[in-house]
């Protein structure tokens, strides 16, 4: 950890705009030095200069296309080599609106790479480094669409379900080793993601859209509360707990030596015929 800065450093992907840029501002205000990653070096440097000026923290920028293997490897290497990094915010992501059937296969592949492969590789590099030091935090940005796949582009929702499941499993694996994992499930948040993916955010019901400052402040409040899963919009957290308990209660019956009677009966009928 940085001997001059007890908070250490936070590496934030997708920090040039929206949720990532807001995390950068809030974490700088909390005293973290920062490493900001995204593709556009000009926008990254603009965020970095503002935060250096306003907060006095040290800010590095890493221009990287996280869908490109060599660029991703550079960021992974930074997580392995920089012992002052104490937090990873896995935030970079893209969405696509519309049906998945007939979508451009290259765009679909890029979305899967950015939303799943990149955060996995980064989280695993951070997890190894943090576990070796016995401390550190990984914040993964998923989406409420992990829980509502019927509402939006199915590949996007599936990438976010991956992030949710991966995070739950990683938290369980790392908890005893001093490493925290939080997964954040934002609802619709006012950022460029919508225009970039071809949806006019003004066409969405205003009561569904949260400002990015409020979303990130709620997510960080969830982090401070020690939550593993933070759903900024959900008024009653016990609903999520009930769903989790129901899901977990299925576990003893999900893998058994014999098929369920409803299938066994049908199979027996077929044999008799
Ligand atoms: N906005 C919402 O309603 C919403 C809801 C739920 C979850 N989320 C999630 O929140 C995260 C942040 O999205 P946002 O809403 O803040 O959108 P955003 O403003 O469009 O920000 C996306 C960030 O990712 C970076 N990025 C895009 N492609 C990249 C690539 N190939 N390599 C590296 N960086 C890349 C962008 O910078 P460059 O273009 O410079 O690379 C930008 O900094 C995403 O994971 C998104 O899925 C958003």
């Amino acid at each position: 950890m940085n001997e001059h800065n007890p908070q250490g450093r936070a590496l934030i992907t997708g920090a040039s705009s929206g949720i990532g840029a807001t995390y950068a501002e809030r974490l700088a205000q909390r005293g973290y030095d920062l490493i900001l990653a995204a593709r556009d070096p000009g926008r990254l440097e603009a965020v970095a200069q503002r935060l250096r000026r306003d907060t006095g923290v040290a800010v590095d920028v890493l221009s990287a296309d996280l869908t490109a293997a060599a660029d991703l490897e550079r960021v992974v290497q930074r997580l392995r080599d920089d012992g002052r990094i104490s937090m990873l915010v896995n935030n970079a992501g893209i969405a696509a609106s519309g049906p998945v059937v007939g979508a451009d296969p290259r765009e679909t592949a890029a979305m899967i790479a950015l939303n799943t492969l990149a955060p996995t590789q980064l989280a695993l590099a951070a997890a190894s480094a943090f576990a070796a030091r016995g401390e550190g935090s990984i914040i993964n940005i998923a989406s409420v669409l992990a829980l509502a796949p019927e509402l939006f582009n199915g590949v996007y929702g599936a990438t976010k379900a991956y992030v949710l499941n991966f995070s739950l499993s990683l938290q369980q694996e790392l908890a005893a080793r001093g490493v925290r994992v939080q997964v954040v499930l934002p609802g619709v948040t006012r950022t460029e993601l919508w225009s970039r993916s071809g949806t006019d955010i003004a066409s969405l019901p205003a009561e569904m859209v949260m400002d990015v400052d409020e979303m990130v402040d709620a997510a960080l409040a969830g982090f401070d509360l020690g939550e593993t899963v933070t759903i900024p919009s959900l008024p009653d957290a016990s609903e999520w707990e009930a769903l989790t308990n129901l899901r977990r209660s299925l576990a003893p019956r999900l893998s058994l030596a014999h098929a369920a009677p409803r299938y066994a009966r049908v199979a027996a009928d077929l044999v008799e015929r």
Side-chain angles (χ1 to χ4, degrees):
M1 190 164 287
N2 187 346
E3 59 194 30
H4 304 297
N5 181 345
Q7 296 279 44
R9 276 186 166 168
L11 191 155
I12 306 168
T13 67
S16 60
S17 66
I19 293 169
T22 307
Y23 264 101
E25 185 181 289
R26 297 302 195 266
L27 293 176
Q29 288 162 351
R30 289 177 177 221
Y32 285 86
D33 290 331
L34 300 174
I35 303 168
L36 308 179
R39 288 170 304 181
D40 185 331
R43 292 189 80 180
L44 282 175
E45 195 47 54
V47 175
Q49 278 180 14
R50 182 170 57 78
L51 295 180
R52 288 185 200 112
R53 185 192 63 220
D54 293 351
T55 67
V57 301
V59 187
D60 286 356
V61 302
L62 267 182
S63 173
D65 179 346
L66 296 174
T67 65
D71 282 14
L72 176 59
E73 184 53 30
R74 261 194 306 124
V75 185
V76 163
Q77 209 54 52
R78 182 68 182 261
L79 283 161
R80 289 201 189 110
D81 294 346
D82 187 340
R84 291 164 296 179
I85 298 175
S86 56
M87 175 182 279
L88 167 66
V89 183
N90 245 332
N91 162 77
I94 47 173
S97 37
V100 295
V101 179
D104 181 333
R106 282 164 308 182
E107 286 176 16
T108 300
M111 181 164 63
I112 294 169
L114 182 64
N115 294 6
T116 63
L117 182 62
T120 303
Q121 306 282 55
L122 296 172
L124 295 179
S128 297
F130 295 169
R133 298 199 289 275
E135 61 181 350
S137 303
I138 298 168
I139 299 175
N140 292 328
I141 306 300
S143 162
V144 288
L145 292 168
L147 306 176
E150 299 87 352
L151 293 186
F152 195 67
N153 179 280
V155 174
Y156 178 76
T159 66
K160 295 303 180 177
Y162 173 95
V163 174
L164 172 61
N165 274 1
F166 173 61
S167 303
L168 293 173
S169 171
L170 196 61
Q171 162 63 19
Q172 175 164 291
E173 191 172 325
L174 292 174
R177 303 180 71 185
V179 183
R180 269 198 68 187
V181 179
Q182 181 201 23
V183 57
V184 179
L185 277 61
V188 179
T189 308
R190 196 168 282 107
T191 70
E192 291 172 22
L193 173 124
W194 292 93
S195 55
R196 289 191 202 224
S197 62
T199 300
D200 179 3
I201 199 166
S203 68
L204 302 172
E207 65 274 14
M208 287 181 69
V209 183
M210 194 179 288
D211 280 340
V212 68
D213 289 325
E214 187 167 347
M215 200 294 286
V216 173
D217 286 338
L220 282 169
F223 181 78
D224 294 339
L225 288 168
E227 290 182 349
T228 297
V229 178
T230 296
I231 307 176
S233 293
L234 191 70
D236 183 354
S238 72
E239 288 186 312
W240 169 255
E241 283 159 25
L243 181 65
T244 302
N245 289 338
L246 179 63
R247 179 177 63 74
R248 286 193 178 143
S249 75
L250 294 179
R253 297 177 300 286
L254 291 178
S255 180
L256 297 172
H258 298 291
R262 67 186 179 286
Y263 303 125
R265 254 193 320 270
V266 175
D269 287 352
L270 285 175
V271 171
E272 274 171 28
R273 260 185 236 158

